[in-house]
Amino acid sequence: MPQQKDIVRIAIQMPGAYPQLIQLDQKKPLSAVIKEVCDGWNLPGPENYALQYADGVQMYITESNRLDIKNGCILRLTKAPGRCAEDLYKGIQSSDSGVRCDSLKELAGVSTDVTFAQEFISRDGHLLLVKIVEDSNESNAIMTYTLMCFRELMDHGIVSWENISSVFIKKIASFVNAKPTDASIQQVSLDILESMVLSSHSLFQQVKQEITMEKLIAHLQVTNQQIQTKAMALLMALLQIAGESDRQEMFAFLNKKNLRQYIYKNIIHSSGSVQDEMAHYLYVLQSVTLNHLEPRMRTPLDCYSQEQRDTLHGLRQAAFETESENSLSHERRRSLCAKEFKKLGFSNNSNPGQDLVRTPPGLLALDTMYYFASRYPDAYSRFVLENSSREDKHECPFARSSIQLTLILCEILRIGEPPSETGSDYHPIFFSQDRMMDELFCVCIQLLNKTWKEMRATQEDFDKVMQVVREQITRTLSSKPTSLELFKNKVNALNYSEILKLRQTERLHQEETLAPPVLELKERLKPELLELIRQQRLNRLCQGTMFRKVSSRRRQDKLWYCRLSPNHKMLHYGDVEEDTENPPIETLQEKIPVADIKGLLTGKDCPHMKENKGKQNKEVLDVAFSITYDVEEYSLNFVAPSRTDFCLWTDGLSVLLGREMSSESMRSELEILLSMEIKLRLLDLENVPIPDSAPVVPKPPSNYNFCYDFSQTEH
C-alpha cells in the first residue's frame, strides 16, 4: 500500500470529456498512470499519449520532473511528444501553405519544451527548418514562425551552434541588413545572431563580417522598441565577445557618431519591460566600455620605462618652474627633483615610481594625474602650489590623494568587474561625457582638496578624508546626474557639514527603527559609557598637552604646557622649551585651583580672540578656548594644536565644572561604544565556551622580513 507522502491529488483534463480526479501514486511508473487515465476514457493506444501541465508553462510530465507535481495541479492528457513531433514534421512539409503555417505556429509553441525538442531534433527537424530559411521561398508569416521554432530549439543546447552552415548565417544576416519589411522577421533574426555571437568566437567573426555597425545602429534609430532592444542586445554581445582591437574599433565608431548619447536618450521613451531590458544593456555598455581601462589599472609603473619616467617628470615640471634645471649638477638636480616630488605629495620622493607600483590603480593613477595636469593646468598648479607652500601640517598631498582617489573611482565604477547578467545600475553621466573616468577624476580631485580644507585635515586624517570623499561621490552618483556639470554642482554642494548632517539623520532614523528592547538597552548603557568617556578625558588632562602662545603679531614662537594634577584639584602650567616632552608637574610653576574656575569659553567669546578681532582666521577660532577664574577677572587662554585636542580639553574641563560634555568627538565616540556594546550584548553565545583567562600571546617571530619597510618613505 503506498504511503501518504507518495500520493498527490490532481485533476486531469481532455477536450470533450469530463475531468478525472485521481490520486497519483508517485511510486507507480508514469506509463501505468497514463494507461489508467486512458482506460478511464476508453482510449486505445496509451503509448500515444502523455501528460502535460494545463496551466502556465505547458511542460510535458516525465519521470525526471514528475516529483514537481503538487496537490491540486491540473494536468492535461495530450499527444505523446514523439507522436506530436512526427505529426508536425510532416505538417511543415505539406504542399498546402496554410497547413505549413499552422504546423509551424504550433511547433513554435511546443518547441519550448525540452522533451519535445529532443524528439523533433532526433528526426532532423531542425535541419528542415534550416533548409526553409536558406531557400527563402515562403511568406513572411511562415518565415517568422520558422525562425521562432529554430530559436526555441537551439536554446535547449541539444545541437551546437558550431554546426550551423555559413549559408544559413548569411541568410539570417540578410534579414537584418535588408530594408525594413517585416519587423517580426528582423526581431527574431537579431535574437538568433545574438545567440550565435555569445556561443563561440568563430561565429562572432562571421556575424561581425556580415553585420556592419552602420546597419546595427540603424536598428537603434527605428520606432519599434522591440527591434531597438534586440539590436542593443546584439551590440552588447559583440562588444563583450570582441577582442581588444575589435572593441576599440567599435568604441571609436560609437564615440564618433555620438551614439552613446543617442542610445541613452532612447531609454527615456521606452516603457515597461522594454525599459528594464534597455537599462540592463546600458549597464553592460557602460561596464564593457570602462573595463578597457583594466589593463592600465592592473599594470604597475615600470621604473625602467623612459616614457613613464618622462610622464612623472612632466607632472613635476608642470607644477614648478624648472628653467635653469639643465645648468645644475647631477646631484643638485637630483636633490631638487626629490624636493619637488615631495611637494607634489609622493611618499617616496627619491623614487616616486614606487608609489605607483601597487595595483590597482597602477598606471591608471598616472594617467589620471597627467590628464588633470595637461587638461586643466591652472587648477593643477593651484592645487599643488597652494598645498606645497603650507607650513601648518594641513597640506593635502596631491600624488598620494590622486592615487587613492583613482582606486576609489575604480571601485565605485566597478572597473575590472565583468557585467552581471541582471545588472541595471548604470550612470547617465557616462552617456553624456567622453573620457568619463578622466573627467570625473578632475572634478573629484578638486573636491578632495576642498573637503580636506573643510575638515582641517592633517596627514593623520588622510583615511578619514578619503572615506568622506568616497561618500560624497557615491551619494552624488546615486542621484543619477545626467551631465558632468550637474555632477560637479551637486557633489560640491554636498560638503563635509552636509555629510555629517546626513549621517546624523540616518543614524536617528536607524534608531527609530530599532526594536523597543534594543532602545531600552541603549538608554541603560549610556550612563556607563559616558562615565568611561569622562574618565578618559580626565586622564588625558592629567597627561597634559603642549600649547603655543600666539602673539599680537601672530608669531608662534613660545611654548607652554598645561596638565591636571592626579587628584583633579589643580591645573598646573608653565613655559617650556621646544624639545621638552611631558615635563614633570613640579617643573610647572603656575597653578590654578579647579575650585576657582568659574567658566569655560570657546571661539570668538575667548578674551584672546576678542583682542585680535578680525585678525584671527577660522582655523584658530575653531581651536581656541579659555577658562575664567577668580570672579571672572582673570583668564587662561588656549589655542589647541588640533581639533582633537580642543575636544578633549573642552570635554575634560566641562567634567571638572560639573557640566555635560558637548564636543562632536564625544558624540562620535559614544555612538561607536554604544554600537559595539549592543552588538556584544546581542551576540548569541549559547553553548559557546568563554575562557576564564586571556589566550597566551605567541612568541615573536624569528625575523620581521614580512613587514613593509616604511623608512624609505621618510627620505
Side-chain angles (χ1 to χ4, degrees):
M1 183 175 177
Q3 297 183 12
Q4 189 65 31
K5 65 178 182 179
D6 297 327
I7 299 298
V8 182
R9 294 171 177 82
I10 60 173
I12 300 180
Q13 298 176 337
M14 188 181 76
Y18 288 107
Q20 293 187 38
L21 301 177
I22 68 168
Q23 292 186 345
L24 174 62
D25 181 1
Q26 292 285 29
K27 295 294 185 182
K28 185 182 293 187
L30 198 56
S31 57
V33 174
I34 294 173
K35 185 178 184 307
E36 289 180 4
V37 173
C38 288
D39 290 344
W41 280 316
N42 297 318
L43 295 173
E47 66 277 3
N48 293 322
Y49 294 93
L51 292 175
Q52 191 179 47
Y53 286 104
D55 300 320
V57 180
Q58 297 173 358
M59 187 170 57
Y60 280 103
I61 305 298
T62 63
E63 291 290 354
S64 60
N65 65 20
R66 62 182 295 175
L67 293 179
D68 295 332
I69 300 173
K70 307 297 181 186
N71 277 314
C73 276
I74 301 176
L75 305 183
R76 179 173 60 209
L77 188 69
T78 187
K79 289 182 186 178
R83 179 184 162 196
C84 183
E86 186 65 34
D87 291 347
L88 291 175
Y89 184 79
K90 292 176 181 177
I92 60 179
Q93 298 180 81
S94 171
S95 58
D96 187 330
S97 62
V99 173
R100 292 200 303 276
C101 187
D102 291 341
S103 298
L104 286 164
K105 184 176 181 180
E106 184 181 348
L107 178 61
V110 295
S111 292
T112 58
D113 187 283
V114 66
T115 306
F116 171 84
Q118 289 169 336
E119 293 288 347
F120 190 77
I121 290 172
S122 70
R123 292 165 171 77
D124 290 335
H126 63 296
L127 298 180
L128 183 57
L129 298 176
V130 169
K131 187 176 185 306
I132 294 173
V133 173
E134 290 178 351
D135 291 345
S136 294
N137 295 323
E138 298 288 0
S139 65
N140 287 344
I142 289 180
M143 188 58 69
T144 300
Y145 287 130
T146 303
L147 293 172
M148 290 172 63
C149 295
F150 180 80
R151 178 190 62 190
E152 297 297 341
L153 291 170
M154 294 301 291
D155 279 350
H156 296 295
I158 301 169
V159 178
S160 172
W161 284 98
E162 296 283 359
N163 297 328
I164 303 303
S165 68
S166 58
V167 175
F168 179 81
I169 296 172
K170 288 178 182 291
K171 183 59 68 173
I172 297 294
S174 72
F175 294 148
V176 173
N177 291 332
K179 292 182 179 179
T181 51
D182 189 288
S184 300
I185 292 178
Q186 290 190 328
Q187 184 180 325
V188 185
S189 297
L190 286 165
D191 223 355
I192 292 172
L193 289 175
E194 180 198 2
S195 298
M196 287 181 184
V197 168
L198 293 174
S199 66
S200 77
H201 188 71
S202 61
L203 287 176
F204 158 78
Q205 293 293 350
Q206 291 186 59
V207 172
K208 182 176 177 292
Q209 288 176 4
E210 299 298 329
I211 303 293
T212 63
M213 286 290 287
E214 286 84 354
K215 291 291 185 182
L216 193 54
I217 296 304
H219 288 301
L220 292 174
Q221 299 172 330
V222 300
T223 56
N224 187 310
Q225 290 187 354
Q226 291 295 335
I227 289 183
Q228 282 183 340
T229 305
K230 298 302 180 184
M232 187 73 169
L234 178 55
L235 176 61
M236 294 305 101
L238 289 166
L239 282 170
Q240 285 182 267
I241 303 300
E244 189 59 32
S245 60
D246 287 332
R247 191 177 296 148
Q248 290 297 339
E249 181 185 335
M250 292 182 199
F251 286 150
F253 182 83
L254 289 173
N255 290 331
K256 181 180 178 182
K257 302 289 185 179
N258 291 324
L259 289 169
R260 284 190 302 167
Q261 293 90 324
Y262 178 82
I263 291 168
Y264 170 68
K265 288 176 182 176
N266 256 344
I267 197 174
I268 300 174
H269 304 293
S270 302
S271 59
S273 60
V274 173
Q275 187 176 40
D276 294 339
E277 203 169 344
M278 286 293 282
H280 170 68
Y281 295 136
L282 291 175
Y283 155 78
V284 173
L285 177 59
Q286 171 188 287
S287 179
V288 173
T289 307
L290 289 174
N291 277 351
H292 85 279
L293 298 171
E294 183 180 8
R296 299 290 286 179
M297 183 184 77
R298 303 287 184 197
T299 305
L301 184 136
D302 180 4
C303 294
Y304 296 100
S305 167
Q306 185 63 44
E307 180 185 355
Q308 293 172 19
R309 291 207 308 270
D310 289 346
T311 303
L312 267 175
H313 282 283
L315 284 174
R316 178 181 63 83
Q317 292 164 352
F320 306 105
E321 292 290 337
T322 54
E323 294 178 1
S324 59
E325 189 176 305
N326 293 330
S327 62
L328 300 175
S329 66
H330 176 71
E331 287 300 320
R332 182 74 184 90
R333 184 174 182 275
R334 186 175 179 179
S335 174
L336 176 65
C337 289
K339 182 179 179 182
E340 289 180 346
F341 276 125
K342 183 177 182 180
K343 287 183 177 181
L344 265 178
F346 283 94
S347 300
N348 193 327
N349 50 285
S350 60
N351 186 8
Q354 290 297 316
D355 288 25
L356 295 160
V357 168
R358 183 183 65 164
T359 58
L363 286 176
L364 188 57
L366 181 62
D367 295 341
T368 52
M369 284 190 282
Y370 192 77
Y371 182 85
F372 178 50
S374 56
R375 180 77 174 81
Y376 303 99
D378 292 341
Y380 170 69
S381 297
R382 186 165 55 250
F383 186 117
V384 175
L385 296 177
E386 175 185 299
N387 287 286
S388 62
S389 60
R390 298 189 67 155
E391 298 180 358
D392 55 2
K393 297 182 180 180
H394 289 285
E395 68 278 3
C396 177
F398 172 75
R400 184 186 177 193
S401 300
S402 296
I403 293 168
Q404 190 61 28
L405 176 61
T406 304
L407 178 61
I408 287 173
L409 288 174
C410 287
E411 292 172 350
I412 291 174
L413 299 176
R414 298 184 177 181
I415 296 175
E417 295 182 24
S420 73
E421 295 182 0
T422 57
S424 60
D425 185 19
Y426 65 91
H427 301 294
I429 187 176
F430 168 80
F431 298 92
S432 64
Q433 183 63 53
D434 293 334
R435 305 197 65 160
M436 176 189 175
M437 178 68 179
D438 292 327
E439 290 293 341
L440 209 57
F441 172 86
C442 294
V443 172
C444 293
I445 191 65
Q446 295 176 79
L447 166 74
L448 191 152
N449 189 38
K450 172 175 169 286
T451 303
W452 185 283
K453 289 187 285 188
E454 290 171 353
M455 295 176 67
R456 297 176 295 280
T458 63
Q459 295 291 337
E460 289 76 19
D461 302 316
F462 183 83
D463 290 338
K464 183 179 178 182
V465 175
M466 298 313 298
Q467 288 174 3
V468 173
V469 171
R470 177 191 287 271
E471 190 172 342
Q472 289 171 313
I473 298 170
T474 305
R475 286 181 183 273
T476 304
L477 285 176
S478 66
S479 69
K480 303 292 184 185
T482 54
S483 68
L484 186 70
E485 190 62 30
L486 193 56
F487 171 83
K488 183 178 180 180
N489 293 337
K490 285 189 173 185
V491 80
N492 281 300
L494 194 61
N495 55 35
Y496 181 53
S497 298
E498 288 298 316
I499 290 290
L500 292 178
K501 290 177 184 176
L502 287 169
R503 287 177 176 177
Q504 179 67 14
T505 302
E506 289 167 1
R507 191 179 299 121
L508 292 172
H509 177 70
Q510 189 178 9
E511 288 179 359
E512 290 173 1
T513 59
L514 289 174
V518 177
L519 289 173
E520 184 180 343
L521 174 61
K522 194 170 184 178
E523 291 303 316
R524 285 173 53 191
L525 291 172
K526 265 187 182 180
E528 179 185 343
L529 297 177
L530 279 170
E531 182 58 31
L532 184 66
I533 296 174
R534 289 190 194 98
Q535 291 303 317
Q536 187 271 339
R537 298 298 195 257
L538 293 175
N539 291 339
R540 185 65 184 79
L541 264 59
C542 289
Q543 292 176 13
T545 301
M546 185 88 72
F547 297 93
R548 287 187 180 273
K549 291 184 178 180
V550 181
S551 68
S552 58
R553 289 179 295 173
R554 301 182 71 178
R555 289 182 56 200
Q556 300 182 355
D557 51 359
K558 290 187 179 181
L559 299 173
W560 63 288
Y561 203 89
C562 186
R563 66 191 303 174
L564 180 65
S565 62
N567 62 6
H568 302 170
K569 292 186 177 181
M570 289 284 182
L571 270 180
H572 296 262
Y573 64 98
D575 294 344
V576 292
E577 296 299 325
E578 180 81 41
D579 56 352
T580 305
E581 290 187 13
N582 197 17
I585 200 166
E586 299 80 14
T587 63
L588 303 176
Q589 302 299 321
E590 306 293 335
K591 59 184 178 181
I592 300 173
V594 171
D596 289 349
I597 298 176
K598 304 301 180 184
L600 171 65
L601 305 173
T602 60
K604 61 184 179 181
D605 295 329
C606 299
H608 59 314
M609 294 295 105
K610 290 180 178 179
E611 291 171 5
N612 298 292
K613 189 173 182 181
K615 298 181 181 180
Q616 300 295 352
N617 60 35
K618 189 175 185 300
E619 290 186 4
V620 175
L621 282 171
D622 284 343
V623 292
F625 63 98
S626 302
I627 55 173
T628 58
Y629 56 97
D630 281 352
V631 200
E632 301 187 10
E633 293 183 6
Y634 300 98
S635 65
L636 184 62
N637 302 317
F638 301 76
V639 175
S642 68
R643 184 68 184 178
T644 301
D645 288 300
F646 172 84
C647 293
L648 290 170
W649 271 86
T650 53
D651 283 345
L653 291 169
S654 295
V655 172
L656 292 174
L657 294 172
R659 301 176 183 174
E660 294 292 330
M661 298 179 290
S662 59
S663 73
E664 67 266 20
S665 178
M666 180 278 298
R667 291 192 293 271
S668 174
E669 290 169 23
L670 178 61
E671 194 61 40
I672 292 171
L673 291 171
L674 276 171
S675 177
M676 290 173 57
E677 193 67 27
I678 288 174
K679 287 175 183 176
L680 287 171
R681 298 289 182 98
L682 297 179
L683 279 177
D684 184 8
L685 297 177
E686 188 176 354
N687 299 323
V688 177
I690 300 176
D692 296 326
S693 57
V696 178
V697 178
K699 293 181 180 180
S702 57
N703 64 69
Y704 292 90
N705 295 338
F706 55 86
C707 290
Y708 178 76
D709 184 9
F710 284 95
S711 62
Q712 295 183 8
T713 65
E714 298 173 0
H715 299 316

